[in-house]
Amino acid sequence: MLDRYDQLLEREIKTVEQERGVRFELGTEMQTAPALCDAGAGGKLSQARWLIPDDTAFTMPSGGGHDAAVFANAGIPSAIVFVRNRNGSHNPDEAMEIADLIAGTDVLFSFLTKTA
């Protein structure tokens, strides 16, 4: 599946380069094998979210590997706390509400201090 995406991306890049007279330099591609979050760490994060007063935190499946996939593939138990971000992450217009950041850090704090 990713190979097809890479091929599509290459075609689109060539089209844009030709149509607009620009050149893209993408650099070295980094690939990380898909990985599952550690069931123990994920379970403790889920448990930690119930220990905080904020009622907006929730558990969700995600395809986002981020650095957690690198750690998981190296045998380091990994899980992810996502913080809601308007306009999506890795976007120049991303924006996070302080209350959402605090909720995420509260989950992490609870995980580290109450579920360990």
Side-chain angles (χ1 to χ4, degrees):
M1 178 77 169
L2 288 177
D3 290 336
R4 290 193 332 220
Y5 174 77
D6 286 344
Q7 292 168 2
L8 172 66
L9 182 62
E10 285 177 29
R11 287 193 307 269
E12 291 297 318
I13 286 173
K14 286 179 184 174
T15 299
V16 171
E17 286 178 333
Q18 290 172 353
E19 289 177 355
R20 300 190 181 205
V22 296
R23 183 171 165 220
F24 289 93
E25 293 183 22
L26 300 180
T28 305
E29 182 178 352
M30 183 184 131
Q31 291 188 358
T32 301
L36 294 174
C37 286
D38 179 76
K44 286 182 179 180
L45 275 177
S46 184
Q47 183 182 16
R49 81 166 174 93
W50 291 108
L51 298 174
I52 63 169
D54 185 295
D55 64 351
T56 62
F58 58 92
T59 301
M60 66 178 204
S62 169
H66 301 273
D67 295 332
V70 175
F71 291 122
N73 287 325
I76 300 167
S78 303
I80 303 173
V81 174
F82 287 99
V83 175
R84 182 174 28 208
N85 192 321
R86 193 170 48 251
N87 303 319
S89 66
H90 308 289
N91 176 335
D93 296 321
E94 66 181 291
M96 178 186 333
E97 299 295 327
I98 294 298
D100 292 331
L101 174 62
I102 291 170
T105 56
D106 283 346
V107 169
L108 185 57
F109 181 78
S110 179
F111 169 78
L112 293 171
T113 62
K114 297 177 182 162
T115 66

